[in-house]
Amino acid sequence: MEQHLQLPNSHVFVGSLSETFSDWFNRQHYSQVFVIVDEHTESFCLPIFLEQIGKIPAPVIAKVPAGEAHKNTATCETIWQWMLNAKLDRNALVVNLGGGVIGDMGGFCAATWKRGVDFIQVPTTLLAMTDAAIGGKLGVDFHGIKNIIGVFKEPVAVFADPVFLKTLPERTLKSGFAEVIKHAVIGDPELWTLMPPKWPSPNYSTDQWIQLLHASIAVKISIVTDDPLEKGRRMLLNFGHTFGHALESCFLETSDPLTHGEAVAIGMICESMLSNKRDEITARLSSYFPHRPIPPSAFPAIWKLMLQDKKNSSGNVRMALPDELPFSMKTVDISPETMVRSLSFYNGLW
Ligand SMILES: NC(=O)c1ccc[n+]([C@@H]2O[C@H](COP(=O)([O-])OP(=O)(O)OC[C@H]3O[C@@H](n4cnc5c(N)ncnc54)[C@H](O)[C@@H]3O)[C@@H](O)[C@H]2O)c1
Ligand SMILES: [Zn+2]
């Protein structure tokens, strides 16, 4: 089974690369193929990628260190240096084979190389398949500020093949589920029922993965197509992230930082506390993710971090919440007192 989704300027293929890639590639006319990997996707994903895609002109492989710590302009320089060495021309194709870090950074390098060469996303984490690879937001961190340098540019295609999920550490896989749960809440009641109500790790068949990925990606596509430059409806995608980003930063300096998905999961619980969906959402999220108490001494710092968000006005924090109607959203402004109530609600759950 293979599924195909359409964005205004790009295609998203969900299914085995062996069924999707060659057909697509043979219809293009690329002069060179330049594959960006990190040290983990080089071992776990590159052999599968090369085996599945069939015959292509000898690709250049550019390997960079793994992890968010390397999503920066220094690593971009390394990638651009590889491009220079490979004499990469305007008709080349860049392949980003990795999680959201490789997708965001490799896409940014491709979008800026010679004012832009085509690139495809071949996401290898659940988060990247369902979220980061879709929507054309590219970039890197700078002076510790996430994604502060970047551009909007669509890949020419995205190939989401669930085969790559098999080698993901459980914590990374689960973290990706936070975004799938988010997509279900903001846009697809059926997706909600496709997911197992409780962790442990779902023992999905390939077809079940394809169905789940397809539904989750479809929600993101529908929202970004409506609002490609983040002026309105795209705010829905921020559900869980107003609290989530602040919590992610706040736990960064601890001995066990939260993953992005874990932080967003807590964020969705805190934000849905203010909605009528509280019980349903809280039950699902607390079965997937461990409880991480948030020290009340950190509440003022969390408020400060939340205030930095660009959508706020007049000292309050603006966010999108699940609304009265099933699977619809509303925008609210919250005060510091409401923030304290939400975090205390989360702390009191266990
Ligand atoms: N552009 C967007 O719209 C958007 C949306 C959400 C997140 N993001 C970005 O995505 C990034 C996070 O993405 P992520 O969670 O995929 O992190 P990641 O890219 O760092 O991948 C997580 C870890 O898993 C490893 N890995 C990747 N695929 C693997 C596989 N198949 N098997 C084994 N190991 C594998 C990676 O090497 C890394 O160590 C952040 O930088 C975030 O800003 C971007
Ligand atoms: Zn997210």
Side-chain angles (χ1 to χ4, degrees):
M1 182 170 79
E2 171 234 311
Q3 304 261 2
H4 180 209
L5 290 145
Q6 179 83 48
L7 275 152
N9 302 309
S10 89
H11 300 269
V12 180
F13 300 94
V14 186
S16 168
L17 279 163
S18 62
E19 290 173 24
T20 56
F21 187 86
S22 309
D23 264 7
W24 174 84
F25 186 79
N26 291 332
R27 280 183 271 118
Q28 320 298 317
H29 302 279
Y30 290 113
S31 56
Q32 287 165 288
V33 178
F34 184 91
V35 185
I36 306 177
V37 291
D38 69 25
E39 51 210 305
H40 301 136
T41 62
E42 183 196 38
S43 332
F44 293 119
C45 310
L46 186 61
I48 301 174
F49 176 75
L50 294 175
E51 189 194 306
Q52 301 275 317
I53 59 173
K55 259 197 152 7
I56 59 164
V60 175
I61 312 295
K63 179 172 77 167
V64 298
E68 185 74 27
H70 300 282
K71 185 181 161 183
N72 54 31
T73 49
T75 313
C76 288
E77 283 204 30
T78 311
I79 295 172
W80 288 318
Q81 187 64 56
W82 278 95
M83 290 176 165
L84 198 62
N85 296 350
K87 301 189 172 59
L88 206 71
D89 66 40
R90 293 284 290 274
N91 298 317
L93 176 70
V94 172
V95 177
N96 298 314
L97 181 64
V101 166
I102 291 294
D104 283 11
M105 179 165 58
F108 176 67
C109 289
T112 46
W113 178 254
K114 297 195 172 174
R115 299 198 177 80
V117 292
D118 282 359
F119 64 96
I120 60 172
Q121 303 292 31
V122 185
T124 61
T125 64
L126 180 58
L127 179 132
M129 291 183 195
T130 193
D131 191 1
I134 315 291
K137 275 168 64 171
L138 311 170
V140 293
D141 309 335
F142 188 61
H143 286 269
I145 308 173
K146 265 183 73 84
N147 302 324
I148 193 84
I149 300 199
V151 296
F152 281 100
K153 190 181 177 199
E154 288 288 350
V156 288
V158 179
F159 294 89
D161 184 342
V163 69
F164 296 121
L165 301 176
K166 289 183 184 155
T167 53
L168 276 185
E170 167 150 318
R171 192 174 176 186
T172 315
L173 179 71
K174 205 198 283 191
S175 189
F177 263 101
E179 306 290 353
V180 180
I181 293 175
K182 179 190 81 178
H183 286 161
V185 173
I186 65 176
D188 186 354
E190 259 177 50
L191 174 55
W192 182 263
T193 59
L194 279 180
M195 262 177 293
K198 282 185 188 310
W199 200 260
S201 168
N203 207 0
Y204 284 153
S205 66
T206 303
D207 282 356
Q208 285 172 313
W209 270 121
I210 291 175
Q211 201 186 0
L212 181 109
L213 288 170
H214 182 272
S216 182
I217 293 169
V219 172
K220 179 138 191 199
I221 288 186
S222 117
I223 294 173
V224 299
T225 313
D226 263 14
D227 181 17
L229 298 178
E230 269 189 323
K231 307 242 181 264
R233 193 170 167 230
R234 202 155 169 164
M235 187 169 167
L236 294 184
L237 294 170
N238 229 34
F239 173 50
H241 287 64
T242 312
F243 275 89
H245 280 146
L247 291 164
E248 200 177 357
S249 306
C250 188
F251 276 82
L252 213 54
E253 304 303 323
T254 66
S255 57
D256 186 15
L258 291 169
T259 65
H260 177 70
E262 289 163 354
V264 170
I266 302 175
M268 286 191 280
I269 293 177
C270 293
E271 293 176 22
S272 59
M273 193 281 284
L274 306 165
S275 88
N276 70 332
K277 294 292 182 358
R278 177 169 106 175
D279 296 343
E280 216 177 337
I281 293 172
T282 301
R284 167 107 16 133
L285 287 165
S286 38
S287 90
Y288 273 59
F289 295 94
H291 188 230
R292 293 287 296 269
I294 303 154
S297 58
F299 290 3
I302 293 170
W303 179 253
K304 255 185 149 165
L305 286 159
M306 284 168 63
L307 269 179
Q308 282 173 11
D309 200 288
K310 55 188 178 292
K311 288 174 287 298
N312 299 322
S313 59
S314 61
N316 282 335
V317 169
R318 174 157 294 182
M319 59 180 67
L321 295 181
D323 199 0
E324 295 305 312
L325 291 166
F327 297 93
S328 67
M329 304 288 281
K330 64 182 173 194
T331 306
V332 298
D333 287 333
I334 69 155
S335 63
E337 294 73 37
T338 312
M339 175 215 62
V340 168
R341 268 204 303 130
S342 290
L343 292 172
S344 308
F345 166 73
Y346 173 76
N347 277 343
L349 280 177
W350 277 262

